[in-house]
Amino acid sequence: MIPKYIKLLFCIPFVIIICYSVYLCTVYSSIPETIIIHGYGSMKDSYGSKIFLVFPILMNLAVLVFIWLIIRRPDKIKFTFEMKEEEREKTYHITQLALVIISIFVTIMMTPLSFSDVVFK
């Protein structure tokens, strides 16, 4: 069973995504039709449509669904250490809390900071 505080903390990434999406919708018409898309590695920066601003939101939602599936079933995780039966629940709760913190961090990195140079000018 998932503790209530884990469920409440897991709502934080969705609140961040909703706030970012609402803000993006309000400024979407003022964003130029062609935006700079930053490359990585040997890829150079290029240009693309402003619809690409929605992709970090969709990718973030996919990551959050994946993390939620793990949080729901921590017994399916193959831990690299032996667990005693009396420590199992505590270990699951710590793992769930760590996953929630990771999901909050990923959301902060993927949505508002991904396109800060385009949207937050």
Side-chain angles (χ1 to χ4, degrees):
M1 184 169 154
I2 303 171
K4 190 171 186 173
Y5 72 94
I6 296 291
K7 291 178 183 178
L8 289 173
L9 286 174
F10 197 72
C11 291
I12 293 173
F14 291 101
V15 170
I16 293 170
I17 290 172
I18 290 169
C19 291
Y20 176 72
S21 299
V22 167
Y23 181 75
L24 182 62
C25 288
T26 59
V27 298
Y28 192 76
S29 60
S30 65
I31 298 172
E33 289 298 319
T34 304
I35 61 171
I36 295 175
I37 299 173
H38 298 293
Y40 58 91
S42 63
M43 292 177 48
K44 295 183 178 178
D45 291 347
S46 61
Y47 296 93
S49 174
K50 67 181 178 180
I51 196 69
F52 284 113
L53 296 174
V54 178
F55 290 146
I57 296 170
L58 298 176
M59 288 187 310
N60 196 353
L61 289 173
V63 168
L64 290 177
V65 166
F66 179 70
I67 290 175
W68 179 251
L69 292 175
I70 297 171
I71 288 174
R72 274 187 33 213
R73 298 297 306 269
D75 56 322
K76 297 294 183 185
I77 299 173
K78 294 187 188 250
F79 291 99
T80 58
F81 53 88
E82 293 287 327
M83 267 190 291
K84 296 179 184 173
E85 194 60 40
E86 59 270 4
E87 294 177 352
R88 189 172 305 275
E89 286 299 316
K90 182 180 177 184
T91 304
Y92 288 165
H93 288 263
I94 292 171
T95 304
Q96 289 170 331
L97 184 60
L99 287 169
V100 167
I101 291 169
I102 289 170
S103 67
I104 293 170
F105 180 74
V106 165
T107 301
I108 290 171
M109 295 308 289
M110 284 184 78
T111 42
L113 294 180
S114 293
F115 293 102
S116 61
D117 56 340
V118 176
V119 178
F120 300 121
K121 279 188 174 181

